[in-house]
Amino acid sequence: MTEKLRVAVLGAGGRMGQAAVQAVEKAEDLELVAALGRTDPLERLLETEAQVLIELTVPDSSEANVRFAVEHGIHAVVGTTGWGSAKQDSLRALLAEHPEVGVLIAPNFALGSVLASSFAAKAAKYFDSVEIIELHHPHKVDAPSGTALRTAQLIAQARKGLPAAPDSTEKALDGARGASVDGVPVHSVRLAGLYAHQEVLFGSEGEQLSLRHDSFGQASFMPGVLIGVRTVTSRPGLTFGLDGYLDLD
Amino acid sequence: MTEKLRVAVLGAGGRMGQAAVQAVEKAEDLELVAALGRTDPLERLLETEAQVLIELTVPDSSEANVRFAVEHGIHAVVGTTGWGSAKQDSLRALLAEHPEVGVLIAPNFALGSVLASSFAAKAAKYFDSVEIIELHHPHKVDAPSGTALRTAQLIAQARKGLPAAPDSTEKALDGARGASVDGVPVHSVRLAGLYAHQEVLFGSEGEQLSLRHDSFGQASFMPGVLIGVRTVTSRPGLTFGLDGYLDLD
Amino acid sequence: MTEKLRVAVLGAGGRMGQAAVQAVEKAEDLELVAALGRTDPLERLLETEAQVLIELTVPDSSEANVRFAVEHGIHAVVGTTGWGSAKQDSLRALLAEHPEVGVLIAPNFALGSVLASSFAAKAAKYFDSVEIIELHHPHKVDAPSGTALRTAQLIAQARKGLPAAPDSTEKALDGARGASVDGVPVHSVRLAGLYAHQEVLFGSEGEQLSLRHDSFGQASFMPGVLIGVRTVTSRPGLTFGLDGYLDLD
Amino acid sequence: MTEKLRVAVLGAGGRMGQAAVQAVEKAEDLELVAALGRTDPLERLLETEAQVLIELTVPDSSEANVRFAVEHGIHAVVGTTGWGSAKQDSLRALLAEHPEVGVLIAPNFALGSVLASSFAAKAAKYFDSVEIIELHHPHKVDAPSGTALRTAQLIAQARKGLPAAPDSTEKALDGARGASVDGVPVHSVRLAGLYAHQEVLFGSEGEQLSLRHDSFGQASFMPGVLIGVRTVTSRPGLTFGLDGYLDLD
């Protein structure tokens, strides 16, 4: 019988953390050995002999937590934001000293969303026009969403050198044509009842391709977290973005 | 055997006009008695004993054409734009002198579009949030579309007195949240391959209602024009908007 | 100051019941006076001076509960299934003896769903083709859904006398063209992640009208329940279907 | 100045052929040197010094046409159906004798459709559930469409070894759950006004990914034909499927 992988969740009191605890408990190949709040001592990771840490805390403490794990040979799957390039570089240097340890930092764990972004980047150069519509619950404070910004940037990069999308608009009300992100129009809808949704529309003469992702709640992140946990042990070094673990080529 | 209704098309050289000529020719209960270009003499309507005029010319000549028809007892179905309230009032006065004649002026003959606008107005007061997305071919010069403006105004009127839709947006790129039309956000997409499409999204806790209309080309206006032709003979006076002829209650 | 309406929930232990309890507690114009399990004595309704009963129990006990309420002058909003025409007739007879009491029995409290069905019935006669796609979570045991069956029947009734939708299908795999419900094709999708969704597609030459409702969870029923509670006190007699309380004409 | 590529269209009288003629004429890097009907002598290809043949005739004559082209050093882009594996093998043998000549045989030239199928195959193993909805004009004789069948087969292949999608359906009307193609449910909608559309729905707990392609008419095939023409000269041997020319990895 295969032994179960020993997993600890840090930030287990938050919404994402609670969902992660449940997801690990339900997975037959994983054993939850610790569910730690943000103030619990990190030594608990050692006492419980965790092999993989799921790090879901806050930007201020995430770096220290992950470095502690790496220094003790524990792999880490990180969903906390705020990992700029300086922090990543520093972590890479640390990982060079621990060549058997793997870390995944993912700004987005929703599998469908990661796939949709990847597909959008691939399709981008084959169409005359592209626009993005993102739709979220009305409690969201920023517009467009971070995912929409990243998707637009990926698309713009893939279209470098191609002619701009045709657009004969002469008179428009302010805002009607959306926000331009690297030349890609992005429209942000805020609607009661929704959670997090995005649609990328591509058009050429006579046809349209639409890539849509709907996230209906926190639960949508868990399949991606589990893929991260199961893969990180065989991927030493730092991987940024869940797509690095997916078989997309 | 019932005699066929005698129909003339004015503006038969334009795209809408050509489609109307074909639609009348295909209809078994209608007879096309004249297909007139914009410079043909209006007397042809009398010589051909037309009973209904389909008027699809240009704003500058539409009023004179319709008044000529009414003065000679010919019903009119009008798709030309530019009929402001002054022209309508003047036409109403003329119709009062010809109480047996009917005129339909319709800014939009697409049945599905007219139905969708009517449904949107009815649904408007039952939801917390509402936004409009309209999508058109990239040759369109105005944004939002006229139909989207009218739909937003109808919705805003139906929501008078209700609380504004919830929206916590604090930092947004210019244009991301669309154009505000009487408080209703409207987003305009311009995409190669598309023709004319509109989606009204309503949301409340736990649910969404979407009303979408797709027009794939000129042909979509013809069923509405034919309903107009068949109904106008029994509706004396001026009717504005095809919904006045539909059974929506 | 207006006094709050005194509301009791029966079946408060079930999922719908719990949601109803929360919804009443949050509503500023309502006061929750009792949250009763299925075995609590009905006399609690009298002791707490409930004015409106929200009945969310099981088919076997619903009739007795509602009759008890009516006999004691308490209005009732009923979400329990199993109210066939015999039970309704018998309830109508009882209500005739209590002419000041109102009862609403609603097979579906999702406002958007009720609106979509009503709109579908109205649009039905204006298009050449119509088909229904309903999509639900994979735990559902019946296909098509009850709502899809009712919608198809409403549409079929509205199209009586019209030609059948065009369909040149000659060779088809079993099931490809869906289930025929009174001549309307209905397609049932079962997909992990979804809750309850329905799309009615209408088509004619050159255009499509789509009416889509998405229910993302139990919460979607509560706005409809609250409309029921607030309206039932001024609608004596039996009303079947939430649409009877909506302003749809 | 680069010389234009010399292109001949065979089957120029058909609908696809006419569209191809127009597309080549509009392309600045291509020169239309011949637009041949099905009965024109193939020697015209030699007289006009065509470099690439666009073959859009009928299954009975396609093979002879393509072999003639290959034997005379002319590349071919083939949209005619009926190229089973025996014909392909035989053509491959001929191409081995003409190692500088390229042939593309594509059952589907709609770029968006080819991309969507490729993306669907890649996404297939990451979700619990998958179903296909294809929607076409009502003149179509087969259901499901050929594209839907191929997409379902690609998906089924990618999911080999994975558990079946969850489905608790116990009582269903005949056809409600669609046709099963290698275990993937496929639903075929036939609606006046539509042309050719397909949606692949993937679902897991809390999320949905939808890949939709809309073809609004013949024009949608031309960008793919042009990619074929421009690429075939540098791809000796036989390529089956436009995806072989796309940069999808």
Side-chain angles (χ1 to χ4, degrees):
Chain A
M1 206 191 89
T2 324
E3 273 186 59
K4 293 184 179 187
L5 194 62
R6 301 174 62 82
V7 180
V9 176
L10 191 49
R15 276 212 246 171
M16 275 284 280
Q18 288 175 6
V21 163
Q22 285 178 22
V24 172
E25 285 179 334
K26 275 208 285 187
E28 298 193 354
D29 58 334
L30 307 180
E31 182 180 350
L32 182 75
V33 296
L36 307 177
R38 282 157 45 192
T39 55
D40 285 319
L42 292 173
E43 282 67 30
R44 294 280 299 132
L45 297 176
L46 310 182
E47 294 162 22
T48 58
E49 296 181 24
Q51 296 169 281
V52 178
L53 168 68
I54 302 178
E55 213 279 346
L56 300 166
T57 62
V58 292
D60 277 355
S61 58
S62 182
E63 187 178 18
N65 296 338
V66 174
R67 294 184 70 93
F68 179 91
V70 172
E71 284 162 0
H72 293 86
I74 302 170
H75 309 280
V77 171
V78 185
T80 309
T81 58
W83 279 89
S85 50
K87 286 186 188 175
Q88 289 184 42
D89 287 347
S90 164
L91 179 61
R92 251 184 222 101
L94 180 64
L95 282 162
E97 301 167 22
H98 301 270
E100 77 293 353
V101 180
V103 174
L104 169 69
I105 301 177
N108 186 353
F109 277 107
L111 265 177
S113 173
V114 172
L115 290 168
S117 291
S118 160
F119 297 159
K122 279 175 183 159
K125 67 177 173 189
Y126 292 112
F127 292 89
D128 294 344
S129 305
V130 54
E131 305 210 359
I132 298 175
I133 302 169
E134 56 93 345
L135 313 94
H136 281 81
H137 56 81
H139 309 300
K140 191 166 180 59
V141 294
D142 52 324
S145 67
T147 299
L149 291 176
R150 274 189 299 275
T151 309
Q153 288 158 356
L154 284 172
I155 288 170
Q157 205 172 337
R159 290 172 69 84
K160 222 169 252 173
L162 296 182
D167 185 353
S168 307
T169 309
E170 283 170 20
K171 49 174 205 175
L173 290 187
D174 258 14
R177 291 287 290 113
S180 173
V181 178
D182 291 4
V184 178
V186 180
H187 310 268
S188 299
V189 174
R190 297 294 172 263
L191 209 74
L194 296 186
Y195 188 69
H197 315 254
Q198 181 171 301
E199 193 161 33
V200 184
L201 304 179
F202 294 101
S204 283
E205 195 178 350
E207 67 168 337
Q208 186 183 224
L209 174 68
S210 317
L211 309 175
R212 180 175 177 121
H213 180 253
D214 295 277
S215 171
F216 303 117
Q218 303 275 348
S220 65
F221 302 117
M222 291 311 124
V225 169
L226 295 185
I227 285 183
V229 168
R230 287 165 182 144
T231 311
V232 71
T233 59
S234 58
R235 296 286 186 97
L238 174 60
T239 303
F240 192 85
L242 183 61
D243 46 330
Y245 282 12
L246 301 181
D247 184 15
L248 293 175
D249 297 335
Chain B
M1 206 191 89
T2 325
E3 272 186 60
K4 293 184 178 187
L5 193 62
R6 301 174 62 81
V7 180
V9 175
L10 190 50
R15 275 212 245 172
M16 277 284 280
Q18 288 175 8
V21 164
Q22 285 177 25
V24 172
E25 285 179 333
K26 275 208 283 188
E28 298 193 355
D29 57 334
L30 307 181
E31 182 180 350
L32 182 75
V33 296
L36 307 178
R38 283 156 45 191
T39 55
D40 285 320
L42 292 174
E43 282 68 29
R44 294 281 297 133
L45 297 176
L46 310 182
E47 294 162 22
T48 57
E49 295 181 23
Q51 295 170 284
V52 178
L53 169 67
I54 302 178
E55 213 280 343
L56 300 167
T57 63
V58 292
D60 277 354
S61 58
S62 182
E63 187 179 18
N65 296 338
V66 174
R67 294 184 70 92
F68 179 92
V70 172
E71 284 162 359
H72 293 86
I74 302 171
H75 310 280
V77 171
V78 184
T80 309
T81 58
W83 280 87
S85 51
K87 286 187 189 176
Q88 289 184 42
D89 286 348
S90 164
L91 180 61
R92 252 186 221 100
L94 180 64
L95 282 162
E97 301 167 22
H98 301 269
E100 78 292 354
V101 180
V103 174
L104 169 68
I105 299 178
N108 187 353
F109 276 108
L111 265 176
S113 172
V114 171
L115 290 168
S117 291
S118 160
F119 297 159
K122 279 173 184 160
K125 68 178 172 190
Y126 293 111
F127 292 89
D128 295 344
S129 305
V130 55
E131 305 210 0
I132 298 175
I133 301 169
E134 55 93 345
L135 314 94
H136 281 82
H137 57 80
H139 309 300
K140 190 167 180 60
V141 294
D142 52 324
S145 67
T147 300
L149 291 177
R150 275 188 297 276
T151 309
Q153 288 157 357
L154 285 172
I155 288 170
Q157 205 171 337
R159 289 171 70 84
K160 222 168 251 172
L162 296 182
D167 185 354
S168 308
T169 309
E170 283 171 20
K171 50 173 202 175
L173 290 187
D174 258 14
R177 291 287 289 113
S180 173
V181 177
D182 291 3
V184 178
V186 180
H187 310 270
S188 299
V189 174
R190 297 294 171 262
L191 208 75
L194 297 186
Y195 189 68
H197 315 254
Q198 181 171 302
E199 194 160 34
V200 184
L201 305 179
F202 294 102
S204 282
E205 196 178 350
E207 68 169 336
Q208 185 183 224
L209 175 68
S210 317
L211 308 176
R212 179 175 177 120
H213 180 254
D214 294 278
S215 171
F216 302 117
Q218 302 276 350
S220 64
F221 301 116
M222 290 311 123
V225 169
L226 295 185
I227 286 183
V229 167
R230 288 168 182 141
T231 311
V232 71
T233 58
S234 59
R235 295 287 186 95
L238 174 59
T239 303
F240 192 84
L242 182 62
D243 47 329
Y245 282 12
L246 301 181
D247 183 16
L248 293 175
D249 297 336
Chain C
M1 206 191 90
T2 324
E3 272 186 61
K4 294 184 177 186
L5 194 62
R6 301 175 62 82
V7 180
V9 176
L10 191 48
R15 276 212 247 171
M16 276 284 279
Q18 288 176 8
V21 164
Q22 285 177 24
V24 172
E25 285 179 333
K26 275 209 285 188
E28 299 193 354
D29 57 333
L30 307 180
E31 183 179 351
L32 183 75
V33 297
L36 306 177
R38 282 157 45 191
T39 55
D40 285 320
L42 292 175
E43 282 67 29
R44 293 280 299 132
L45 297 177
L46 310 182
E47 295 162 22
T48 57
E49 296 180 23
Q51 296 169 283
V52 178
L53 168 67
I54 302 178
E55 212 279 346
L56 301 165
T57 62
V58 292
D60 277 356
S61 59
S62 183
E63 186 178 19
N65 296 338
V66 174
R67 294 184 69 93
F68 179 91
V70 172
E71 284 161 0
H72 293 85
I74 302 171
H75 310 280
V77 170
V78 185
T80 309
T81 57
W83 279 87
S85 50
K87 286 187 187 175
Q88 289 183 43
D89 286 348
S90 164
L91 180 60
R92 250 184 223 101
L94 179 64
L95 281 163
E97 302 167 22
H98 301 269
E100 77 293 354
V101 180
V103 174
L104 168 69
I105 299 177
N108 187 352
F109 276 107
L111 265 177
S113 173
V114 172
L115 290 168
S117 291
S118 161
F119 297 158
K122 279 174 184 159
K125 68 177 171 190
Y126 292 112
F127 292 89
D128 294 344
S129 305
V130 54
E131 307 210 358
I132 297 175
I133 302 169
E134 55 93 342
L135 313 94
H136 281 80
H137 56 81
H139 309 300
K140 191 166 179 61
V141 294
D142 52 325
S145 66
T147 299
L149 291 176
R150 275 188 298 274
T151 308
Q153 288 156 357
L154 284 172
I155 288 171
Q157 206 171 336
R159 289 171 69 85
K160 221 169 253 172
L162 296 182
D167 185 353
S168 307
T169 308
E170 283 170 19
K171 50 173 203 176
L173 290 187
D174 258 14
R177 293 287 290 113
S180 174
V181 178
D182 291 3
V184 177
V186 180
H187 310 270
S188 299
V189 174
R190 296 294 172 262
L191 208 74
L194 297 185
Y195 188 68
H197 316 254
Q198 181 170 303
E199 194 161 33
V200 184
L201 304 179
F202 294 102
S204 283
E205 195 179 349
E207 68 168 336
Q208 185 182 225
L209 174 69
S210 316
L211 308 175
R212 179 175 178 120
H213 180 252
D214 294 277
S215 171
F216 302 117
Q218 303 276 350
S220 65
F221 302 117
M222 290 311 124
V225 169
L226 295 185
I227 285 184
V229 168
R230 288 166 182 144
T231 310
V232 71
T233 59
S234 59
R235 296 286 185 98
L238 174 59
T239 302
F240 192 84
L242 183 61
D243 47 330
Y245 281 13
L246 301 182
D247 184 16
L248 292 176
D249 297 337
Chain D
M1 206 190 88
T2 324
E3 273 186 61
K4 294 183 178 188
L5 194 62
R6 302 174 62 82
V7 180
V9 175
L10 191 49
R15 276 212 246 172
M16 276 283 281
Q18 288 175 8
V21 164
Q22 285 177 23
V24 172
E25 284 179 334
K26 275 208 285 187
E28 298 193 355
D29 58 333
L30 307 181
E31 183 180 349
L32 182 76
V33 297
L36 307 177
R38 283 157 46 191
T39 56
D40 285 319
L42 291 175
E43 282 67 30
R44 295 281 299 132
L45 296 176
L46 310 181
E47 294 162 23
T48 57
E49 296 180 24
Q51 296 169 283
V52 178
L53 168 68
I54 302 178
E55 214 278 347
L56 300 166
T57 62
V58 291
D60 276 355
S61 58
S62 182
E63 187 178 20
N65 296 338
V66 173
R67 294 183 70 92
F68 179 91
V70 172
E71 285 162 359
H72 292 86
I74 301 171
H75 309 281
V77 171
V78 185
T80 309
T81 57
W83 279 87
S85 52
K87 286 187 189 176
Q88 288 184 43
D89 286 347
S90 164
L91 179 61
R92 251 185 222 100
L94 180 65
L95 280 162
E97 302 168 21
H98 300 270
E100 78 293 353
V101 180
V103 174
L104 169 69
I105 300 177
N108 186 353
F109 277 107
L111 265 176
S113 171
V114 172
L115 290 168
S117 291
S118 160
F119 297 158
K122 279 174 184 158
K125 68 178 171 189
Y126 293 111
F127 291 89
D128 294 345
S129 304
V130 54
E131 305 210 358
I132 297 175
I133 303 168
E134 55 93 344
L135 314 94
H136 282 81
H137 56 82
H139 308 300
K140 190 165 181 60
V141 294
D142 51 324
S145 67
T147 299
L149 291 176
R150 274 188 299 275
T151 308
Q153 287 158 356
L154 284 172
I155 288 170
Q157 205 171 338
R159 290 171 69 84
K160 221 169 253 173
L162 296 182
D167 184 355
S168 307
T169 309
E170 282 171 21
K171 50 174 203 174
L173 290 187
D174 258 13
R177 291 287 291 114
S180 174
V181 178
D182 290 4
V184 178
V186 180
H187 310 269
S188 300
V189 174
R190 297 292 172 261
L191 208 74
L194 296 185
Y195 188 68
H197 315 253
Q198 181 170 302
E199 194 160 34
V200 184
L201 305 179
F202 294 102
S204 282
E205 195 177 350
E207 67 169 337
Q208 185 182 223
L209 174 69
S210 316
L211 308 176
R212 179 174 178 122
H213 180 253
D214 295 276
S215 171
F216 302 116
Q218 302 276 350
S220 66
F221 301 117
M222 291 310 124
V225 169
L226 295 185
I227 285 184
V229 168
R230 287 167 182 143
T231 310
V232 71
T233 59
S234 59
R235 296 287 185 95
L238 175 60
T239 303
F240 192 85
L242 182 61
D243 47 331
Y245 281 13
L246 301 182
D247 184 17
L248 293 175
D249 297 336

